[in-house]
């Protein structure tokens, strides 16, 4: 079975490729990745030539067509993924997330292949801090940022292609991931690598915002279950019930785990339009496909965080060269 993984040199995509080779050796994997600032071939270095790697753009219709023609399943991770970048420069988000997804859809339609589209909880907008509800598959879309609105647009395109052209596609909307190979611009690796660089962690605003953290392996296990047993045309919410920890508590957990005082961090400028709370109801995925996260509740999150901290500590060569430039970009915004 041939699998084409777009964005396979990025954080979740690379972990997906590692997970697939380890647990699902029946798949023959090809990665298509543009190697933007967020893509890194090193993320796949330990795999050697057991996969095929194609450096290229998902907006390149000719290239996408030739790769899709020669595959059975496309798993579409490639995206511009960072909210803060989308506030500075929205265009690459429109181009890759919308035009790129359109390009994939047209090739998948032409060659009648199976597609799984990776999306996010952010398409639903946010909940109030005191709202006990969680997002479900039927929650209306209400995205806040250029990033989340382009992801919402890509989900709509996939649904339209399913309904209008009978495309064999599924969608998953997952909450905030953490784990190895995540770019140091993102919240958790930024704080870990700050502490490893003797810089204080940076908390946006008051830090009351809540994210429903999930370990990347739990996400990728769910994606494989959807490939195995998901119903065509369906959407599945993925979340590990970690919607009780706010950003402040996560920073305190990281400080404590890394041997610093719990309050060894500083408040910096808030993100404009900052979403308050995300919370995911993944009961459909659990009930229909039997998915169960491993890193759930406070203990699971602490285990996952500890393992992630150890990875960044042991792999300083992977991130150190980019640290100064990443922090300089944030500093310009008082973050
Ligand atoms: P990432 O930024 O770490 O990786 C994205 C990858 O896509 C990189 O390797 C990059 O080089 C590649 N890419 C970007 N533009 C491309 C293009 N035009 N053509 C080909 N490749 C291109 O992102 P991530 O955090 O791994 O996210 C992967 C997917 O999961 C995205 O679709 C994102 O919306 C979704 N998602 C992420 C999270 C999260 O917490 N990180 C949560 C839910 C959903
Ligand atoms: O230094 C920081 N300090 C801080 O307080 C950074 C970088 C972030 N934050 C806050 C903002 C958010 O409330 O932490 C939270 C998480 O921030 P990000 O890591 O930037 O993630 P978020 O904006 O929530 O989006 C992530 O989850 C959904 C991914 O980046 C998206 O790709 C995914 O769709």
């Amino acid at each position: 079975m041939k699998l084409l993984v777009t964005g396979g040199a990025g954080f979740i995509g690379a972990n997906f490729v590692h997970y697939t080779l380890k647990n699902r050796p029946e798949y023959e994997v090809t990665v298509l990745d543009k190697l933007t600032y967020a893509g890194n071939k090193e993320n796949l270095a330990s795999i050697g030539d057991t996969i095929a790697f194609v450096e290229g753009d998902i907006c390149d219709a000719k290239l996408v067509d030739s790769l899709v023609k020669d595959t059975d399943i496309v798993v579409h991770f490639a995206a511009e993924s960072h909210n803060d970048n989308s506030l500075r420069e929205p265009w690459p988000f429109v181009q890759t997330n919308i035009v790129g997804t359109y390009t994939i859809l047209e090739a998948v339609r032409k060659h009648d292949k199976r597609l799984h589209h990776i999306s996010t909880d952010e398409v639903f907008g946010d909940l109030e801090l005191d709202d006990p509800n969680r997002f479900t598959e039927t929650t209306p879309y209400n995205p806040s940022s250029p990033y989340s609105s382009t992801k919402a647009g890509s989900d709509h395109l996939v649904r339209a292609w399913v309904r209008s052209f009978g495309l064999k596609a599924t969608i998953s909307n997952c909450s905030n991931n953490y784990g190895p190979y995540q770019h140091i611009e993102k919240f958790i690796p930024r704080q870990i690598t700050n502490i490893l660089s003797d810089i204080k962690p940076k908390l946006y605003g008051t830090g009351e915002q809540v994210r429903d953290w999930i370990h990347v392996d739990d996400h990728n296990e769910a994606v494989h279950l959807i490939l195995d047993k998901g119903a065509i045309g369906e959407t599945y919410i993925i979340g590990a019930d970690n919607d009780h920890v706010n950003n402040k508590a996560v920073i305190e957990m990281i400080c404590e785990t890394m041997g610093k005082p719990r309050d060894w961090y500083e408040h910096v400028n808030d993100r404009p339009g900052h979403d308050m709370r995300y919370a995911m109801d993944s009961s459909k995925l659990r009930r229909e496909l039997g998915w169960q996260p491993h890193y759930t509740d406070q203990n699971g999150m602490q285990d996952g965080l500890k393992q992630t901290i150890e990875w960044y500590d042991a792999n300083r060569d992977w991130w150190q060269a980019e640290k100064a430039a990443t922090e300089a970009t944030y500093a310009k915004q008082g973050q």
Side-chain angles (χ1 to χ4, degrees):
M1 190 71 100
K2 290 184 177 175
L3 211 56
L4 177 65
V5 181
T6 73
F11 162 47
I12 307 176
N15 278 287
F16 178 81
V17 173
H18 286 283
Y19 183 95
T20 304
L21 295 191
K22 188 167 161 216
N23 300 291
R24 305 298 301 267
E26 69 273 25
Y27 283 115
E28 201 179 299
V29 176
T30 298
V31 166
L32 168 62
D33 198 295
K34 191 181 173 183
L35 297 181
T36 67
Y37 79 96
N40 186 345
K41 249 186 121 172
E42 278 303 301
N43 299 355
L44 303 169
S46 61
I47 292 168
D49 56 8
T50 50
I51 62 159
F53 183 85
V54 179
E55 182 176 344
D57 195 325
I58 57 166
C59 301
D60 179 343
K62 212 167 148 202
L63 173 66
V64 167
D65 185 272
S66 69
L67 292 171
V68 169
K69 185 177 176 193
D70 190 36
T71 200
D72 298 302
I73 302 173
V74 180
V75 186
H76 177 34
F77 290 95
E80 284 293 337
S81 70
H82 193 37
N83 274 301
D84 293 321
N85 293 345
S86 82
L87 296 164
R88 274 191 296 269
E89 199 191 350
W91 168 243
F93 290 75
V94 175
Q95 174 74 5
T96 286
N97 300 358
I98 298 183
V99 179
T101 300
Y102 159 79
T103 309
I104 302 270
L105 285 168
E106 282 296 80
V108 167
R109 170 159 87 108
K110 179 172 163 196
H111 298 293
D112 192 24
K113 305 292 181 175
R114 165 92 165 86
L115 169 72
H116 181 67
H117 174 64
I118 304 290
S119 192
T120 169
D121 54 2
E122 300 197 14
V123 297
F124 302 117
D126 63 351
L127 299 161
E128 296 294 331
L129 285 181
D130 59 358
D131 187 340
N133 290 310
R134 289 175 164 185
F135 299 135
T136 72
E137 285 79 4
T138 56
T139 302
Y141 277 31
N142 187 25
S144 314
S145 73
Y147 163 67
S148 52
S149 58
T150 58
K151 289 299 289 187
S154 69
D155 292 7
H156 288 316
L157 291 178
V158 175
R159 287 205 185 92
W161 261 241
V162 168
R163 176 157 174 168
S164 305
F165 306 122
L167 202 85
K168 292 180 289 192
T170 41
I171 299 176
S172 53
N173 296 86
C174 187
S175 55
N176 285 61
N177 285 223
Y178 67 95
Y181 303 110
Q182 185 167 30
H183 195 279
I184 57 169
E185 69 191 353
K186 302 289 188 341
F187 179 56
I188 288 180
R190 184 181 183 204
Q191 314 315 334
I192 295 171
T193 56
N194 274 351
I195 295 179
L196 291 173
S197 312
D198 213 25
I199 301 169
K200 281 191 171 179
K202 314 285 185 206
L203 187 63
Y204 290 179
T206 58
E208 293 166 288
Q209 294 77 12
V210 174
R211 298 294 182 263
D212 194 346
W213 293 102
I214 182 170
H215 191 279
V216 65
D217 288 343
D218 281 335
H219 180 179
N220 283 328
E221 206 169 288
V223 172
H224 266 296
L225 269 180
I226 296 167
L227 293 179
D228 291 343
K229 306 197 269 181
I232 296 301
E234 289 295 307
T235 293
Y236 297 90
I237 292 266
I238 310 174
D241 294 343
N242 284 322
D243 57 322
H244 46 267
V245 273
N246 64 23
N247 293 343
K248 182 167 168 289
V250 173
I251 280 208
E252 286 170 352
M253 233 190 265
I254 294 171
C255 286
E256 212 164 34
T257 312
M258 297 183 73
K260 294 286 184 196
R262 279 171 75 78
D263 61 354
W264 200 73
Y265 63 86
E266 56 193 30
H267 294 271
V268 293
N269 286 345
D270 208 348
R271 173 184 284 170
H274 199 170
D275 279 345
M276 288 311 287
R277 171 179 158 79
Y278 304 144
M280 299 294 260
D281 178 350
S282 57
S283 47
K284 173 178 171 182
L285 182 68
R286 296 173 195 233
R287 192 179 58 246
E288 294 184 6
L289 306 189
W291 179 74
Q292 196 57 50
H294 302 285
Y295 299 87
T296 189
D297 70 39
Q298 186 96 358
N299 287 340
M301 170 115 191
Q302 263 162 354
D303 286 352
L305 261 185
K306 192 164 166 286
Q307 184 205 91
T308 305
I309 290 166
E310 283 163 7
W311 189 87
Y312 282 90
D313 192 11
N315 290 279
R316 290 177 190 234
D317 287 352
W318 184 85
W319 56 266
Q320 238 158 7
E322 286 182 65
K323 185 65 184 166
T326 304
E327 288 308 309
T329 305
Y330 276 124
K332 277 189 214 148
Q333 292 154 200
Q335 292 179 320

